[in-house]
Amino acid sequence: MKTKAIQTYHDINFEPDLGYYDKCSAAFDLAGAVALCYILDDSGRAQYLGKVQDDVADLLHAIRIGKESANYPEAHGFSVGPAHAAFMAYIMLDIMYDEMDPVIRSAMESDCDYIASNHHSSWLASKYSIEAMMELYHHGISNTFIEKKNLYRDYLSGNVSDDGVYTTGPGYATSRLFMDGR
């Protein structure tokens, strides 16, 4: 995992010409990789922090701007992909919180909060999970967090039959278990 995370750190950079969905994937992958590198490689913490404050920050801001200016912001791709990126960014921000430049951290939090607060209901599991993560990041295990967590759990449970079959289909559940990076 460490080797793969370090390779991702080297391979992914902010590229302004990336498509919107590719920016979302890059932000998710890079945030997760640098957070893991930061934990496992003490000697490289400064470089990982720099990558966050440059590339991840730029990716998150570009995602927010794209979401704000989308012709159809309620479209699935303008909710789930950005939420996926923001979810991992919240984890990364929590890990690196004390070492980050407070101005950059605040801007990244603002971008994540915009993404989380403007998730349309294209897939409710995604909506509930990013709203719960935003609440957990800012306020810990609050009543609002518990409410969102329960909405998420109840929604997912409602998609599973009494005998444990995921009703959306086996391909979807399999992809969630075995996609690269899971």
Side-chain angles (χ1 to χ4, degrees), residues 12 16 21 23 32 40 45 47 57 60-61 70 73 81 105 119 138 141 164 167 174-175 180:
I12 298 178
Y21 306 115
K23 285 177 183 163
L40 298 177
R45 281 190 166 183
Q47 69 187 16
L60 285 174
H61 193 65
R105 184 185 66 233
H119 191 299
H138 288 292
I141 301 175
T167 59
T174 299
S175 73
D180 184 46

Side-chain angles (χ1 to χ4, degrees), residues 20 24 63-64 67-68 72-87 90 110-134 148 152 155 172 176:
Y20 189 76
C24 293
I63 292 166
R64 177 189 180 154
K67 189 169 177 60
E68 287 176 335
Y72 301 101
E74 70 280 357
H76 185 79
F78 286 100
S79 289
V80 175
H84 191 63
F87 191 96
Y90 280 126
S110 177
D111 290 337
C112 288
D113 293 350
Y114 178 86
I115 292 165
S117 298
N118 290 281
H119 191 299
H120 297 278
S121 60
S122 65
W123 186 42
L124 289 175
S126 176
K127 178 178 174 49
Y128 298 147
S129 66
I130 193 58
E131 290 173 352
M133 178 58 91
M134 179 177 66
K148 297 294 182 181
Y152 172 81
Y155 177 79
Y172 191 83
R176 291 302 173 259

Side-chain angles (χ1 to χ4, degrees), residues 40-67:
L40 298 177
D41 183 15
D42 289 344
S43 66
R45 281 190 166 183
Q47 69 187 16
Y48 304 129
L49 188 59
K51 187 80 161 185
V52 166
Q53 294 181 154
D54 292 333
D55 292 302
V56 179
D58 288 344
L59 282 163
L60 285 174
H61 193 65
I63 292 166
R64 177 189 180 154
I65 297 301
K67 189 169 177 60

Side-chain angles (χ1 to χ4, degrees), residues 92-172:
M92 177 207 67
L93 288 166
D94 189 58
I95 291 167
M96 300 175 148
Y97 189 90
D98 292 331
E99 300 297 320
M100 290 189 72
D101 176 313
V103 173
I104 296 171
R105 184 185 66 233
S106 179
M108 292 176 75
E109 290 168 344
S110 177
D111 290 337
C112 288
D113 293 350
Y114 178 86
I115 292 165
S117 298
N118 290 281
H119 191 299
H120 297 278
S121 60
S122 65
W123 186 42
L124 289 175
S126 176
K127 178 178 174 49
Y128 298 147
S129 66
I130 193 58
E131 290 173 352
M133 178 58 91
M134 179 177 66
E135 180 66 18
L136 182 64
Y137 177 80
H138 288 292
H139 304 290
I141 301 175
S142 67
N143 288 335
T144 300
F145 168 75
I146 292 168
E147 174 190 332
K148 297 294 182 181
K149 176 189 69 120
N150 289 340
L151 285 168
Y152 172 81
R153 186 197 61 228
D154 293 346
Y155 177 79
L156 282 184
S157 295
N159 287 298
V160 177
S161 69
D162 291 339
D163 55 353
V165 174
Y166 188 62
T167 59
T168 305
Y172 191 83

Side-chain angles (χ1 to χ4, degrees), residues 6-52:
I6 291 171
Q7 188 62 50
T8 299
Y9 158 81
H10 287 292
D11 289 349
I12 298 178
N13 300 296
F14 173 68
E15 301 288 339
D17 295 334
L18 277 177
Y20 189 76
Y21 306 115
D22 291 333
K23 285 177 183 163
C24 293
S25 293
F28 174 84
D29 291 341
L30 188 55
V34 293
L36 185 59
C37 289
Y38 187 84
I39 292 168
L40 298 177
D41 183 15
D42 289 344
S43 66
R45 281 190 166 183
Q47 69 187 16
Y48 304 129
L49 188 59
K51 187 80 161 185
V52 166

